[in-house]
Amino acid sequence: MKVIDTINQAKKTVFSFELLPPLKGNDVSRLHKTIESLTEFDPKYINITTHRDEIEFKELADGSIVKQTVRKRPGTVAIAADIQHKYGIPVVPHILCGGFTKSETEHVLIDLNFLGINNVLALRGDGLKNQHVFQPTENGHSNANELVKQIKDLGKGKYLDADLKNNKPLDFCIGVAGYPEKHFEAPNMEQDMLYLKQKVDEGADYIVTQMFFDNQVYYDFVDKCRAMGITVPIIPGIKPINLKNQLTVLPKIFSIDLPQELSKELTKCKNNDDARRVGTEWAIYQSKDLVARNVPSLHIYTYGISDNVSEIVKAAF
């Protein structure tokens, strides 16, 4: 089932979560354990992240430096198919601009269609680590609204090869990202909202937010979206804090604020176990409030850790 249909037909908030593919060289057993520990809470869909190739420089024994291309977490399409067919839970693989050509994107979407997967999350993705600003891949998309348009064009049977005949339309439900505290590259919140509206105008079916730790930030974001004519469902993304250093790491990486009360409690923590307890309690607090406000879905960024997610979902619902 498409995510948008699940949301529209639900009479109350549904539960969903996100997983990362395993690092290259590992198997999927840990992912299976995570999913199986959460199936009792009836997740309606599972997001699977996609990771682009990265450039690394390796020093050889003779002291010379070689440049190599690596993808640390391959296998998104295969894992998505495995999960959907093994557990019968719809999956939402991420589709990226960065690191992929338009042709590669089309091929991935064809593969997903053949596998019976009809949900995707369309993202620009990050640039390479050595890039100060995002640089699109040659013959790739510069931003997510272009990616959304390509996916919607496939829904009309419009492929990159204009000479194809009797084309089968590929009908996908498309989610996109929203940033309640502004994307770090946007010059201001107003411009970032315009970028978001472009994605919706191109055909996005729903929005899922970046993590936030103050629910009022999410509610204000929804109000801003509605005021500018964005009417699609807006799903809140929740990230339980698991490590003490996330007090400073998360704001730095994601350009978000932590409420004073949360940062005060994390500062008191003596170790990661203490921080994990604080983070779990804070996520429970957030989740209860969001569910009480009947948000479309409570979407949790698990990073493959499930025990505290089980506690959060059990408390929230």
Side-chain angles (χ1 to χ4, degrees):
M1 180 179 284
K2 291 183 176 181
V3 170
I4 189 61
D5 294 332
T6 295
I7 291 171
N8 287 338
Q9 294 173 22
K11 293 182 170 56
K12 60 181 182 179
T13 301
V14 301
F15 164 55
S16 59
F17 61 94
E18 179 175 291
L19 293 172
L20 282 70
L23 288 167
K24 184 184 291 185
N26 295 335
D27 62 22
V28 297
S29 58
R30 181 178 175 183
L31 259 66
H32 288 167
K33 289 178 182 177
T34 297
I35 295 167
E36 288 161 9
S37 70
L38 295 173
T39 53
E40 66 176 290
F41 304 108
D42 191 24
K44 296 302 184 184
Y45 57 93
I46 300 173
N47 279 38
I48 314 295
T49 62
T50 291
H51 301 258
R52 65 176 295 168
D53 288 345
E54 300 176 30
I55 303 298
E56 292 186 346
F57 294 90
K58 183 178 180 180
E59 184 175 358
L60 301 180
D62 62 3
S64 61
I65 304 294
V66 295
K67 178 181 176 181
Q68 57 185 16
T69 301
V70 298
R71 184 174 299 181
K72 296 181 179 179
R73 295 183 183 271
T76 295
V77 171
I79 288 169
D82 169 63
I83 291 171
Q84 183 159 301
H85 291 286
K86 182 178 178 67
Y87 298 102
I89 301 172
V91 289
V92 186
H94 295 187
I95 306 295
L96 304 183
C97 299
F100 299 88
T101 66
K102 296 173 187 177
S103 180
E104 288 171 332
T105 295
E106 183 174 273
H107 295 162
V108 168
L109 292 166
I110 291 170
D111 286 346
L112 292 174
N113 176 262
F114 287 158
L115 291 165
I117 296 170
N118 58 5
N119 293 291
V120 295
L121 188 70
L123 305 167
R124 191 201 70 177
D126 297 327
L128 293 172
K129 290 181 180 179
N130 64 334
Q131 295 175 347
H132 296 294
V133 295
F134 178 82
Q135 296 178 17
T137 299
E138 185 176 359
N139 297 317
H141 293 297
S142 299
N143 47 59
N145 65 288
E146 295 177 359
L147 176 57
V148 172
K149 184 179 186 305
Q150 180 181 5
I151 300 169
K152 291 301 291 187
D153 281 347
L154 282 172
K156 303 170 187 174
K158 184 178 179 181
Y159 290 70
L160 294 175
D161 184 351
D163 295 329
L164 288 178
K165 295 182 173 24
N166 302 316
N167 302 337
K168 172 181 169 54
L170 307 184
D171 186 22
F172 288 94
C173 170
I174 307 170
V176 294
Y179 300 86
E181 297 175 79
K182 186 181 81 62
H183 190 279
F184 75 96
E185 291 181 12
N188 52 63
M189 191 67 187
E190 290 70 25
Q191 187 62 47
D192 202 32
M193 297 293 292
L194 290 174
Y195 293 150
L196 178 60
K197 192 171 190 306
Q198 287 177 353
K199 292 187 281 189
V200 174
D201 289 345
E202 287 291 355
D205 295 290
Y206 67 93
I207 297 163
V208 60
T209 75
Q210 181 178 251
M211 68 181 74
F212 57 88
F213 293 91
D214 180 350
N215 285 3
Q216 191 57 51
V217 170
Y218 165 77
Y219 299 134
D220 291 344
F221 176 69
V222 173
D223 289 342
K224 290 175 185 175
C225 288
R226 302 306 183 224
M228 67 185 308
I230 296 174
T231 60
V232 299
I234 303 173
I235 296 167
I238 297 297
K239 167 69 176 81
I241 287 178
N242 291 306
L243 302 171
K244 182 174 170 59
N245 70 356
Q246 289 176 334
L247 170 66
T248 55
V249 169
L250 292 178
K252 180 179 180 180
I253 293 177
F254 297 100
S255 297
I256 56 175
D257 288 337
L258 268 60
Q260 177 61 27
E261 184 179 352
L262 174 58
S263 61
K264 182 179 178 181
E265 292 302 314
L266 287 172
T267 302
K268 294 178 185 177
C269 294
K270 297 180 180 179
N271 50 49
N272 285 335
D273 288 340
D274 291 347
R276 184 179 175 83
R277 186 70 254 152
V278 169
T280 299
E281 292 295 337
W282 191 267
I284 289 172
Y285 161 74
Q286 283 190 274
S287 299
K288 281 184 173 181
D289 179 65
L290 291 164
V291 171
R293 296 280 289 264
N294 200 34
V295 297
S297 174
L298 184 67
H299 188 68
I300 300 183
Y301 299 114
T302 70
Y303 291 85
I305 301 171
S306 60
D307 55 342
N308 62 341
V309 175
S310 298
E311 183 181 352
I312 294 162
V313 176
K314 187 174 182 178
F317 289 92

